Amino acid sequence: MSRPEHVAPPELFYGETEAKKYTGNSRIAAIQAEMTMRAVELLNLSDEGPYYLLDIGCGSGLSGEVLEEDGHIWVGMDIAPAMLEIAADKDVEGDLFLQDIGQGVGFRPGTFDGAISVSVIQWLCNADKTENRPRYRLQRFFSTLFMSLQRGARAVFQFYPENDTQVEMIMGIAMKCGFTGGLVVDYPNSKKARKFYLCLFAGQAAAGQKQELPQGLDSEEAAS
């Protein structure tokens, strides 16, 4: 079965029909909610919220609804108009922006307390157009995202890497753009439950305080 990013650019793949199908699938919604909650957990936010969070590749607002339930204020951006139309029709509380993240994140420095992304970052690695150079797009994205985050904030990306080379490229470019952190793998021994989270730190939260990369979950019972 072909990976979605190999079929068509995201703004075309998630047209009106596919956007409605994706949003209306209860199983997909449940999985996305679970991954969003895990991403928020990896942000390591204190109890002093609510926090101002960026949802990268927000789609139809499935992750945003989870952020709302947690009491956070959020901004969502996505490249697929059909997805954003569904989110708007659902009257989600987050502000929505039509944006190709490969062209950068256009917010003021230090705007967000954290960022999450579910099943998106791998799309930047696909040269689906002649002008789309993955390394340039990743660099543009990570460099502008770094600037938009508060110092010490985290950005957590759940993604489906195609291979180790792709993981190394994504992580390498993120580090060159100023981030530290690394890869968190939940249930690494379970082919079905295994999930990859890129957990990035935009500097240190306080002088002399080192950010620690979280441990992945590794309970087969919890994964079932």
Side-chain angles (χ1 to χ4, degrees):
M1 182 177 179
S2 298
R3 294 170 63 95
E5 63 267 26
H6 291 172
V7 176
E11 66 271 28
L12 298 181
F13 183 85
Y14 290 108
E16 184 177 350
T17 300
E18 190 64 29
K20 289 181 178 178
K21 185 191 304 183
Y22 186 96
T23 306
N25 188 311
S26 58
R27 179 175 177 274
I28 287 177
I31 293 173
Q32 179 144 343
E34 180 182 344
M35 293 189 297
T36 300
M37 288 187 284
R38 176 59 171 153
V40 173
E41 179 183 6
L42 291 172
L43 286 179
N44 195 36
L45 301 170
S46 71
D47 296 329
E48 299 176 358
Y51 290 92
Y52 194 43
L53 304 178
L54 177 63
D55 183 3
I56 300 162
C58 64
S60 57
L62 294 177
S63 292
E65 290 171 340
V66 175
L67 299 180
E68 290 171 17
E69 291 175 3
D70 278 355
H72 300 301
I73 303 167
W74 63 282
V75 170
M77 56 197 317
D78 202 280
I79 195 174
M83 282 289 205
L84 291 176
E85 287 175 8
I86 294 176
D89 288 343
K90 292 193 300 182
D91 199 26
V92 296
E93 295 182 8
D95 292 325
L96 304 173
F97 291 87
L98 179 64
Q99 176 68 25
D100 175 4
I101 62 173
Q103 295 180 358
V105 177
F107 296 98
R108 293 178 179 177
T111 296
F112 296 103
D113 299 311
I116 65 162
S117 180
V118 175
S119 308
V120 172
I121 193 68
Q122 69 269 9
W123 288 87
L124 286 179
C125 299
N126 197 40
D128 47 42
K129 301 176 184 176
T130 304
E131 65 271 20
N132 283 355
R133 293 176 292 160
R135 288 186 175 276
Y136 172 81
R137 288 167 61 75
L138 284 164
Q139 182 173 356
R140 179 65 179 166
F141 168 63
F142 281 123
S143 60
T144 54
L145 176 63
F146 183 89
M147 292 298 296
S148 75
L149 293 171
Q150 293 275 352
R151 292 291 71 85
R154 296 188 180 189
V156 177
F157 302 83
Q158 180 278 325
F159 71 119
Y160 296 103
E162 189 166 357
N163 49 48
D164 291 342
T165 300
Q166 188 179 85
V167 173
E168 292 171 2
M169 178 176 69
I170 293 173
M171 289 182 58
I173 293 174
M175 302 307 168
K176 287 181 179 179
C177 292
F179 285 103
T180 56
L183 192 65
V184 176
V185 183
D186 286 351
Y187 315 119
N189 300 317
S190 171
K191 186 175 181 180
K192 180 180 179 181
R194 184 168 57 234
K195 294 292 185 297
F196 295 84
Y197 295 87
L198 181 60
C199 187
L200 300 178
F201 313 141
Q204 302 302 320
Q209 182 179 354
K210 184 178 180 181
Q211 299 256 31
E212 296 289 344
L213 188 67
Q215 294 295 312
L217 304 177
D218 195 15
S219 167
E220 293 299 330
E221 182 178 346
S224 61

